[in-house]
Amino acid sequence: MSNRFTDALFQLVHSLEKSEKRHFKLYIKRSSANEDLKIIRLFDALDKLPEYDEKLLLKKLPDIQKPQLANIKTHLYKQLLGSLRLLKATENIDLQLSEHLDHARVLYNKGLKLQSLKILERAKEIARANQKFNFLAQVISLEKKIETLHITRSSTEKTGQLAEEAQEISGHIDRVTRLSNLALLLYRWFVLNGHARNPEDEQALKKYLKEYMPTDQKVVDGFYEKLYLYQSYNWYAFIKQDFLMYYRYGQKWIDLYEEHPEMKEVETGHYIKGMHNLLNAHFDLRNFKQFEITLKQFEEFSKTPIATHHDNFRTHTFIYINGAKINQHLMQGTFKEGLALVPEIEEKLEEYALFVDQHRILVFNYKIATLHFGNGDFEKAIDYLQRIINGPLDMRIDLQCYSRLLHMLAHYEMGNYELMESLSKSVFRFMARMKNITVIEEEMLKFLRHSFGISPRELKPELEKFLNKIKHLEKNPYETRAFAYLDIISWTESKVYQKPMQEIVYGKYLQSKHRR
């Protein structure tokens, strides 16, 4: 998938829907210049190519020479964006506001100052209704410029009001910027490192909070300020594996949209991400009933016009809903049923290859490998884990490490004991190099190295000792990530009680459900 979409123009052409392609043809054919006719032929040729191949493209366009191609591609790219902007202007608040501001500037430059101010007033109303304070700053800036340079017969009250608005919005934008920076940096930290591994990691996270968090949180007001505040605490809690706090701020994130339902259409992407995080929190806390309710709510939302309106929204609702469905099977122990979802997921991931980032592919490969492992399909699990192990090492160090641990366990299950010594050394070296080894991993590696040299009769007492050790570590805040990624307790119990792992996990699910 990574080599199919290497050209920006090719990506854009293949992202278009039928209606968007039709609109582009109508848009461009209004001009009959020779250059425009060439870009239509280039557009058609790119649309028919299954993957970008410049040599094949030039063969299909004999009247375009290689030195000309770059300029014609640039021209086509600009025309496509112009067509899309025209088509989508009424569907997107940001595009509508930009159009208002563009019109106001054009009118001002024509000398029609009062008409320009009238459009700016309308733009301010729309911006305030949709909490677009960054845009409001641009509108007020132009208003102030007009009022300063020209006699518009505005009242002194109006100019004073403008000054107050500018001051208020400046403070708001500063808080939104600081909080959105904090949320972004915490998310980036997680993508690179995964969960906190030690007190040093926690100190690094607290440093972010101290640097970016407003000293007085009582002044945090408005949709965007609260959204980024909740996101920041949500990511902070998740990285620390404080799952109760993670749930609380995930719920606040979604409740904010219930307080401002109109923002579901304005900031759909953040709503979709919030639902994903809330589902993850229910999964981590094993809130089975709430997980089912939230998943059903998310599935219903995914069918609404808001969620199906853009490629990004369709893609991400699919990814998050199917990731949640796999999580549901993992926590219930219904691994075989979960594997039935895999063919459709992989087919859709191929279809959405243009829009899916490598991080999502990495996570799906790990989840699918875990389903196969739980179902006893160890060779299949190894196949999926190899995709991670042989892939890039620039993200999710934690998944890279646990993929190697699970890969080693799969070989252990298959009886490939001749590989175990070299594998265990390799895994230990990798995890130590990545500063990702904790007590639970050390105990696992120690047990595995020791166990493949003893008889089956001696193995059961060793397994029981190992199970007792790791159960004591279950509540340690720096060890919980090991249990979140690799259910080593259930695996060990399946060995001790000589039952399939899925039976062990399913039994725990039934007990927990009954208690709740």
Side-chain angles (χ1 to χ4, degrees):
M1 286 191 292
S2 58
N3 296 323
R4 285 179 55 196
F5 303 108
T6 55
D7 183 84
L9 177 60
F10 182 80
Q11 288 179 1
L12 180 57
V13 169
H14 279 259
S15 73
L16 299 176
E17 298 170 5
K18 285 182 180 179
S19 60
E20 292 167 342
K21 291 174 184 177
R22 187 168 57 249
H23 181 269
F24 169 70
K25 293 288 185 71
L26 293 170
Y27 172 82
I28 203 65
K29 282 179 181 176
R30 291 171 189 166
S31 166
S32 57
N34 289 335
E35 195 70 13
D36 290 337
L37 295 176
K38 281 184 181 179
I39 70 169
I40 290 174
R41 289 201 297 278
L42 175 58
F43 174 83
D44 289 336
L46 286 168
D47 192 30
K48 288 172 185 172
L49 285 178
E51 57 186 59
Y52 187 72
D53 184 335
E54 193 164 289
K55 288 182 181 177
L56 183 59
L57 183 63
L58 287 166
K59 279 184 184 178
K60 290 178 177 289
L61 301 164
D63 60 330
I64 297 178
Q65 301 302 310
K66 188 172 182 178
Q68 297 175 290
L69 185 61
N71 287 336
I72 297 172
K73 282 173 67 178
T74 301
H75 183 44
L76 174 55
Y77 194 85
K78 287 178 181 177
Q79 293 293 340
L80 282 168
L81 291 179
S83 169
L84 286 170
R85 192 186 192 286
L86 191 65
L87 181 64
K88 304 294 183 181
T90 57
E91 301 174 3
N92 184 282
I93 289 295
D94 293 301
L95 289 176
Q96 285 179 46
L97 290 169
S98 294
E99 187 176 57
H100 276 76
L101 192 57
D102 290 344
H103 290 167
R105 284 180 176 135
V106 168
L107 288 168
Y108 172 66
N109 291 338
K110 292 292 291 178
L112 302 170
K113 299 175 284 294
L114 296 180
Q115 288 186 40
S116 177
L117 287 170
K118 191 173 181 181
I119 286 181
L120 290 173
E121 278 299 324
R122 174 64 185 140
K124 278 167 70 175
E125 289 175 17
I126 297 170
R128 283 197 180 280
N130 292 281
Q131 312 243 4
K132 295 290 183 180
F133 292 99
N134 277 334
F135 182 82
L136 262 176
Q138 295 179 64
V139 174
I140 290 172
S141 177
L142 183 53
E143 273 191 300
K144 282 164 46 178
K145 178 180 179 179
I146 295 171
E147 294 288 359
T148 302
L149 296 176
H150 306 282
I151 298 171
T152 61
R153 298 186 178 85
S154 294
S155 65
T156 53
E157 186 181 331
K158 168 74 181 297
T159 53
Q161 185 183 338
L162 267 178
E164 285 178 17
E165 281 182 322
Q167 193 67 33
E168 175 197 337
I169 288 163
S170 174
H172 174 86
I173 290 172
D174 178 64
R175 289 189 295 276
V176 168
T177 302
R178 290 170 67 85
L179 288 166
S180 60
N181 283 348
L182 176 58
L184 179 65
L185 289 167
L186 288 169
Y187 180 57
R188 177 180 174 272
W189 198 98
F190 173 71
V191 170
L192 290 173
N193 303 294
H195 295 291
R197 298 157 290 186
N198 47 50
E200 289 75 25
D201 281 350
E202 278 206 38
Q203 284 304 313
L205 297 171
K206 286 176 181 175
K207 188 178 175 184
Y208 280 138
L209 290 184
K210 188 176 180 180
E211 187 175 347
Y212 291 97
M213 191 67 72
T215 49
D216 183 7
Q217 290 188 24
K218 291 178 183 176
V219 300
V220 173
D221 193 24
F223 177 84
Y224 284 101
E225 289 183 53
K226 288 181 179 178
L227 176 68
Y228 291 123
L229 178 71
Y230 299 156
Q231 283 184 5
S232 297
Y233 278 127
N234 189 251
W235 283 120
Y236 175 70
F238 184 56
I239 294 169
K240 278 182 58 186
Q241 294 180 104
D242 183 342
F243 295 132
L244 189 57
M245 182 183 179
Y246 179 49
Y247 157 70
R248 283 172 180 160
Y249 279 95
Q251 190 64 60
K252 282 175 180 284
W253 183 340
I254 295 305
D255 288 345
L256 185 63
Y257 277 92
E258 299 308 318
E259 294 168 27
H260 303 274
E262 72 284 356
M263 298 305 289
K264 284 184 186 178
E265 191 166 357
V266 178
E267 288 295 351
T268 313
H270 283 295
Y271 179 74
I272 290 168
K273 187 75 171 183
M275 290 298 285
H276 165 64
N277 282 16
L278 184 56
L279 278 166
N280 276 349
H282 288 314
F283 171 71
D284 291 323
L285 291 169
R286 296 301 189 262
N287 291 336
F288 299 111
K289 186 65 178 172
Q290 288 302 314
F291 184 98
E292 289 173 16
I293 291 168
T294 304
L295 179 57
K296 186 179 178 183
Q297 182 186 343
F298 197 11
E299 286 183 293
E300 287 170 358
F301 172 77
S302 72
K303 297 168 189 172
T304 62
I306 296 173
T308 56
H309 193 63
H310 292 305
D311 294 315
N312 265 336
F313 304 155
R314 282 193 294 271
T315 305
H316 284 94
T317 51
F318 164 79
I319 286 170
Y320 293 147
I321 285 170
N322 281 280
K325 285 179 178 177
I326 290 180
N327 280 347
Q328 192 170 32
H329 288 295
L330 288 173
M331 67 182 177
Q332 291 178 358
T334 50
F335 304 123
K336 188 175 182 180
E337 291 82 351
L339 287 168
L341 301 171
V342 172
E344 185 187 352
I345 290 172
E346 293 191 317
E347 185 183 330
K348 284 289 186 183
L349 287 175
E350 182 69 20
E351 182 185 332
Y352 294 150
L354 179 59
F355 311 106
V356 180
D357 61 75
Q358 283 302 308
H359 177 242
R360 303 294 163 208
I361 302 294
L362 186 80
V363 172
F364 266 117
N365 282 333
Y366 188 80
K367 287 182 186 294
I368 293 168
T370 308
L371 284 174
H372 279 297
F373 184 88
N375 198 48
D377 306 326
F378 304 116
E379 283 190 28
K380 278 281 191 183
I382 287 170
D383 289 341
Y384 280 93
L385 293 167
Q386 290 283 14
R387 298 180 188 183
I388 302 170
I389 293 166
N390 297 327
L393 296 175
D394 58 350
M395 62 173 71
R396 291 302 297 275
I397 292 168
D398 56 339
L399 276 186
Q400 297 285 346
C401 291
Y402 288 112
S403 294
R404 284 162 172 78
L405 274 173
L406 190 58
H407 175 260
M408 186 173 64
L409 279 179
H411 278 292
Y412 179 87
E413 286 281 19
M414 291 169 70
N416 296 332
Y417 300 134
E418 69 280 3
L419 298 174
M420 293 308 296
E421 188 170 354
S422 62
L423 273 177
S424 63
K425 286 178 181 177
S426 171
V427 171
F428 181 83
R429 280 197 304 268
F430 182 85
M431 294 186 80
R433 179 158 54 92
M434 294 298 175
K435 299 179 181 177
N436 213 72
I437 194 158
T438 61
V439 177
I440 183 68
E441 286 93 27
E442 286 183 350
E443 289 293 342
M444 282 175 64
L445 290 165
K446 194 188 300 179
F447 166 75
L448 289 169
R449 279 197 298 267
H450 176 64
S451 68
F452 55 73
I454 60 177
S455 67
R457 188 194 304 175
E458 295 171 306
L459 182 59
K460 189 171 181 182
E462 292 299 320
L463 279 163
E464 287 171 346
K465 282 182 198 172
F466 176 60
L467 180 61
N468 189 47
K469 280 181 184 177
I470 59 178
K471 276 195 167 181
H472 283 300
L473 294 168
E474 199 172 6
K475 302 300 179 185
N476 185 314
Y478 300 118
E479 304 298 335
T480 52
R481 68 196 184 106
F483 301 112
Y485 286 115
L486 191 60
D487 191 354
I488 191 66
I489 289 178
S490 294
W491 177 78
T492 311
E493 286 173 340
S494 75
K495 296 290 167 199
V496 170
Y497 305 124
Q498 297 182 332
K499 292 180 179 180
M501 186 173 168
Q502 61 184 20
E503 192 177 322
I504 297 289
V505 178
Y506 185 66
K508 290 179 182 179
Y509 161 67
L510 290 180
Q511 285 177 10
S512 180
K513 195 175 178 183
H514 179 69
R515 282 198 304 271
R516 287 166 190 270

